[in-house]
């Protein structure tokens, strides 16, 4: 497979194996409906970008204090991104400082060794959207929101690679501090053992050299966010988005007005969320985030733990799980004014506050994130934040050229490989001896139909017994056909083994590769051409699974 566009203008994915059959990707109910043009009012005031064309219309306007805050944030990010080794830090920071610049934002938790591959795809997509806007004559900058305020240990503490024997997962052990944000944690001694085990699992000198490089950032004393940012900046070079640590003091200062507003308008926010949630469930869609009445979409750091703010009456608050912590709303507002770094937005507030501070033009979101935007959207009018466009991130699969050749040799499509077991077996069987039971079943079905006329002529009461007999016979043949298909699929042992290896590489642990295998693995295996291939080959239209061939 080859790239079909240049690095500066690529907008379409490369052709897929065996004739380019597109592989549709499954989406949650709401994103699926929106992409089909249904119930878009449940996303309003956010707007969905469904294709690969840049968003139209005027950019959000930042003026006054908001413009000053973004300029100060940009100056601070120039410093932090230089520290990460980001080659384009100063140029991107200058763009962000200009209030006329359109901001493309995406983000994820700082997963171990870069997190799952889709994290890398998000970063590339945001940078590609910014490049597309620049080509169209609109100044733009990509920003990656590193979600260090979250405390989901399971999401950040494990990394999966593809070893010769199949996928293997390595982790940092049990969670030592369940409510502590990952941005406050160091990787700990376990990270050295993880890197050593991965090196042993992939005995390849280039891979080992890459792991030695990674070990400079993934040290026991390094924090999750710092190591993640250094890795991403290295992998993408000057194409890397501007990296924004969610716990950066300059960001927390810029968030202060919006955090205050969320507290001051807490009743309006709760009513707006309740109304939107009723609309969503009233149309038969599930809620991505379970509603909690009397609870704020804010957290407060207390003794190193991130705890939910819960309202107490009209003028008080408490921290979930702590009877000894809380106070009045006035106290909470004072905390925001004096120490905004300890106040963190939850999932239903973060996108709106993010877009208020950055003046976002476009968000690049994953399927799950896009699902909860239906609820989040209700917060924008309450906070008086101009809502941006939003787009589903591209969904990708890394498939090496020799793997694509094996796929073609097996006589199956990528859709067959990624489909359920029965579909794959049918595809493999059809390239062997066809479906021998199918012809027999057709003859039996015709014979049973012929039997019906003579049977009913003898006795009309035989109709029901005949139908039951017909169903039993055909069902028995169908079950036998499944066994025959499986046997035919496995008849060619060499081909069967190769197909299983392909399937395991594409669906490790039974999930799409991009959701399981860490980004750093592919850099170790393919070197710098891995990131280059993504930039050249990944299209921005998220409609089908895109194949990247390093």
């Amino acid at each position: 497979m080859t790239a079909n566009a240049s690095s500066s203008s690529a907008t379409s994915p490369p052709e897929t194996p065996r004739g380019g059959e597109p592989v549709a990707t499954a989406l949650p109910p709401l994103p699926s409906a929106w992409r089909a043009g249904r119930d878009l009012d449940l996303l309003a005031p956010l707007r969905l970008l469904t294709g690969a064309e840049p968003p139209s219309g005027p950019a959000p306007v930042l003026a006054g204090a908001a413009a000053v805050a973004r300029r100060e944030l940009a100056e601070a990010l120039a410093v932090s991104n230089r520290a990460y080794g980001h080659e384009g830090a100063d140029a991107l920071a200058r763009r962000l400082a200009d209030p006329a610049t359109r901001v493309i934002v995406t983000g994820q938790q700082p997963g171990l060794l870069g997190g799952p591959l889709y994290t890398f795809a998000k970063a590339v997509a945001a940078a590609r959207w910014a490049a597309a806007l620049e080509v169209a004559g609109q100044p733009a900058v990509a920003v990656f929101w590193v979600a260090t305020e979250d405390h989901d240990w399971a999401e950040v503490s494990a990394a999966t690679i593809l070893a010769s024997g199949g996928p293997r997962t390595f982790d940092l052990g049990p969670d030592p501090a369940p409510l502590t944000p990952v941005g406050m944690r160091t990787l700990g001694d376990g990270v050295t053992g993880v890197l050593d085990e991965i090196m042993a699992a992939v005995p390849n000198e280039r891979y080992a050299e890459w792991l030695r490089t990674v070990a400079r950032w993934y040290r026991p004393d390094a924090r999750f966010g710092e190591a993640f940012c250094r890795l991403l900046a290295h992998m993408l070079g000057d194409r890397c988005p501007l990296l924004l640590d969610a716990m950066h003091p300059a960001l927390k200062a810029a968030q202060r007005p919006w955090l205050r507003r969320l507290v001051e308008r807490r009743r309006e926010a709760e009513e707006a969320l309740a109304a939107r949630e009723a609309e969503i469930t009233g149309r038969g869609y599930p809620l991505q985030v379970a509603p909690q009445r009397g609870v704020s979409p804010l957290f407060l750091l207390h003794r190193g733990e991130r705890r939910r703010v819960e309202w107490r009456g009209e003028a008080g608050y408490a921290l979930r799980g702590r009877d000894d912590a809380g106070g009045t709303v006035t106290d909470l507002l004072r905390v925001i004014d004096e120490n905004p770094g300890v106040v963190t937005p939850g999932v239903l507030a973060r996108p709106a506050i993010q877009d208020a501070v950055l003046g976002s033009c476009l968000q690049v979101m994953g399927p799950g994130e896009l699902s909860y935007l239906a609820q989040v959207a209700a917060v924008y009018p309450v906070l008086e934040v101009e809502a941006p466009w939003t787009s589903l991130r591209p969904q990708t699969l890394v498939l090496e050229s020799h793997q694509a050749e094996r796929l073609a040799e097996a006589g199956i499509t990528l859709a067959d490989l990624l489909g359920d077991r029965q579909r794959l077996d049918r595809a493999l069987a059809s390239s062997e001896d066809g479906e021998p039971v199918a012809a027999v079943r057709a003859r039996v079905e015709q014979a049973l139909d012929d039997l019906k006329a003579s049977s009913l002529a003898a006795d009309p009461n035989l109709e029901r017994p005949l139908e039951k007999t017909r169903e039993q016979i055909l069902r028995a043949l169908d079950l036998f056909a499944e066994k025959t298909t499986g046997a035919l699929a496995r008849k060619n042992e060499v081909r069967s083994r190769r197909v299983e290896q392909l399937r395991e590489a594409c669906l490790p642990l039974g999930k799409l590769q991009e959701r399981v295998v860490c980004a750093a693995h592919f850099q170790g295996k393919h070197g710098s051409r891995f990131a280059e291939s993504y930039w050249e080959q990944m299209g921005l239209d998220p409609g089908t699974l895109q194949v990247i061939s390093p």
Side-chain angles (χ1 to χ4, degrees):
M1 289 175 290
T2 57
N4 63 354
S6 71
S7 61
S8 61
S9 62
T11 57
S12 302
E15 61 183 276
T16 51
R18 268 196 94 222
E21 177 186 0
V23 181
T25 52
L27 294 176
L30 268 172
S32 179
W34 290 336
R35 282 196 57 82
R38 301 190 308 272
D39 295 320
L40 285 167
D41 59 309
L42 293 178
L43 185 61
L46 293 158
R47 296 158 291 173
L48 183 66
L49 202 62
T50 57
E53 292 300 316
S56 59
V61 177
L62 284 181
V68 172
R70 193 170 97 173
R71 184 172 66 248
E72 293 174 348
L73 175 61
E75 292 170 356
L77 292 184
V79 176
S80 62
N81 278 257
R82 282 199 300 271
Y84 300 144
H86 194 317
E87 297 173 10
D90 291 330
L92 295 181
R94 283 194 296 272
R95 289 183 199 169
L96 183 62
D98 183 349
T101 297
R102 293 176 180 246
V103 176
I104 314 299
V105 63
T106 192
Q108 195 67 32
Q109 283 204 60
L112 185 62
L113 303 185
L117 182 59
Y118 68 76
T119 304
F120 185 80
K122 278 183 167 183
V124 175
R128 286 283 312 279
W129 276 116
L133 284 166
E134 288 276 340
V135 169
Q138 302 175 47
V141 64
V143 175
F144 191 101
W145 183 287
V146 186
T148 51
E149 292 182 325
D150 291 1
H151 53 264
D152 188 343
W153 178 255
E155 185 170 331
V156 301
S157 63
T160 299
I161 64 161
L162 296 175
S164 57
R168 292 189 59 185
T169 300
F170 306 87
D171 65 65
L172 300 176
D175 188 352
L179 293 178
T180 300
V182 298
M184 296 173 62
R185 303 177 186 225
T186 57
L187 291 158
D189 294 336
V191 71
T192 302
V194 165
L195 293 175
D196 288 344
E197 290 180 58
I198 293 176
M199 191 175 295
V202 186
N204 175 283
E205 182 50 37
R206 180 170 68 183
Y207 201 101
E209 181 60 33
W210 166 241
L211 288 178
R212 286 190 284 271
T213 299
V214 169
R216 300 205 308 261
W217 313 314
Y218 280 86
R219 309 179 313 272
D221 62 330
R223 294 185 185 272
F224 278 84
E226 172 199 357
F228 174 88
C229 289
R230 289 179 182 275
L231 175 69
L232 200 57
H234 178 89
M235 291 177 68
L236 283 172
D238 61 3
R239 292 169 173 162
C240 184
L242 201 59
L243 299 166
L244 174 54
D245 187 324
M247 299 186 76
H248 197 296
L251 174 62
K252 303 309 296 184
Q255 289 178 346
R256 187 185 288 117
W258 313 104
L259 295 172
R260 280 190 62 94
R261 191 171 290 181
L262 195 58
V263 172
E264 292 166 344
R265 302 181 183 181
R266 57 195 179 279
R267 299 306 176 201
E268 295 95 318
E270 184 169 341
E271 290 170 3
L273 284 168
R276 179 58 62 90
E277 288 159 359
E279 287 186 86
I280 295 169
T281 56
R283 299 193 201 178
Y285 297 105
L287 294 175
Q288 185 77 3
V289 181
Q292 301 182 65
R293 302 295 169 242
V295 171
S296 169
L298 293 176
F299 290 79
L300 197 65
L301 286 177
H302 178 76
R303 298 179 181 175
E305 296 180 331
R306 185 173 182 252
R307 292 190 175 271
R308 172 82 69 176
V309 172
E310 298 181 334
W311 304 123
R312 293 290 184 266
E314 289 298 316
Y317 81 95
L319 298 185
R320 178 174 291 173
R322 297 291 308 209
D323 296 332
D324 60 341
T328 67
V329 169
T330 301
D331 295 332
L332 182 57
L333 291 172
R334 185 179 302 113
V335 171
I336 291 172
D337 290 339
E338 297 175 358
N339 190 13
V342 301
V343 185
T344 71
V347 66
L348 294 182
R350 183 196 56 75
I353 291 178
Q354 159 200 282
D355 296 332
V357 172
L358 295 175
S360 309
C361 166
L362 172 67
Q363 310 165 343
V364 179
M365 310 291 273
E369 294 167 321
L370 198 58
S371 294
Y372 70 64
L373 279 187
Q375 293 165 263
V376 173
V379 177
Y380 282 80
V382 175
L383 298 185
E384 298 180 43
V385 176
E386 187 171 353
W389 290 86
T390 188
S391 174
L392 184 66
R393 66 168 173 81
Q395 299 180 70
T396 62
L397 171 72
V398 177
L399 194 70
E400 299 170 43
S401 57
H402 74 90
Q403 292 175 316
E405 290 168 3
R406 289 273 174 88
L407 195 64
E409 290 169 3
I412 58 175
T413 68
L414 185 58
D416 294 330
L417 185 71
L418 299 179
D420 61 37
R421 184 78 246 179
Q422 287 185 347
R423 172 172 178 165
L424 177 58
D425 283 349
R426 285 196 301 270
L428 290 169
S430 66
S431 62
E432 286 289 337
D433 298 318
E435 298 182 26
V437 179
V440 174
R441 186 188 191 281
R443 291 197 298 272
V444 170
E445 189 172 14
Q446 182 60 55
L448 290 168
D449 288 341
D450 294 341
L451 180 61
K452 182 175 182 178
S454 59
S455 299
L456 295 185
D459 185 350
N461 294 321
L462 292 175
E463 181 172 12
R464 187 171 180 182
L466 179 61
E467 281 302 313
K468 288 189 67 174
T469 302
R470 184 180 188 276
E471 289 175 8
Q472 291 169 350
I473 292 172
L474 295 180
R475 176 57 181 159
L477 284 170
D478 289 339
L479 290 173
F480 183 71
E482 289 179 13
K483 296 181 182 298
T484 304
T485 298
L488 287 170
R490 294 183 293 274
K491 180 179 179 182
N492 185 327
E493 293 183 4
V494 173
R495 184 187 67 165
S496 178
R497 184 171 61 253
R498 288 177 175 176
V499 169
E500 284 305 312
Q501 291 171 343
L502 274 176
R503 186 173 169 88
E504 194 168 52
C506 296
L507 291 172
L509 308 180
K511 300 178 182 178
L512 281 174
Q513 179 196 82
E514 65 169 8
R515 303 200 63 82
V516 176
V517 185
C518 67
H521 166 77
F522 296 99
Q523 181 89 356
K525 189 168 186 181
H526 304 292
S528 59
R529 75 175 186 271
F530 165 67
E532 190 71 25
S533 298
Y534 251 89
W535 186 265
E536 292 180 346
Q537 298 176 27
M538 189 181 76
L540 294 174
D541 188 336
T544 57
L545 185 68
Q546 299 185 34
V547 175
I548 307 298
S549 179

